[in-house]
Amino acid sequence: MVQLNTSRAYELPAEDRKALLERERVRGRELMAEGVLRHFWRLPGKRADLGIWTVADALEEALESLPVRPYADIDVTPLATHPMTARVRSGRN
């Protein structure tokens, strides 16, 4: 799970910010098409997003590929399947 706070990007001049955010949208779509960025949510009231990323060994590389990276504070939380969820998915109770 990756939380990206992009507040610092909003300190840029309007035209620079607009261009940066457009490049970010393009890269985000690419990562979604590649299956790296699986789910993505906006955090209401914040200039931040929360996403589920699926990469084996290249998370840092994927994050560095984001145009907004120099202006983002990133918090990564590894997730693992909970045993209860695993049982439900396999049909066991």
Side-chain angles (χ1 to χ4, degrees):
M1 179 176 67
V2 176
Q3 183 172 333
L4 288 129
N5 182 322
T6 58
S7 296
R8 289 185 288 135
Y10 289 83
E11 297 170 3
L12 294 170
E15 285 300 313
D16 294 342
R17 181 180 62 245
K18 182 179 176 183
L20 173 68
L21 295 177
E22 181 55 33
R23 290 193 316 275
E24 185 71 13
R25 276 188 281 281
V26 169
R27 182 62 184 136
R29 288 184 192 114
E30 292 170 351
L31 290 167
M32 291 178 90
E34 294 168 12
V36 172
L37 181 51
R38 304 296 298 262
H39 302 282
F40 204 48
W41 297 270
R42 168 101 21 199
L43 297 176
K46 300 180 180 183
R47 289 193 165 121
D49 303 299
L50 185 69
I52 302 299
W53 295 61
T54 304
V55 287
D57 298 319
L59 179 60
E60 190 61 35
E61 181 179 311
L63 293 172
E64 288 296 325
S65 76
L66 298 172
V68 77
R69 176 61 185 109
Y71 307 97
D73 295 315
I74 299 176
D75 184 35
V76 177
T77 303
L79 300 175
T81 302
H82 191 281
M84 186 172 69
T85 303
R87 284 192 298 269
V88 170
R89 287 188 180 163
S90 68
R92 297 185 313 233
N93 290 327

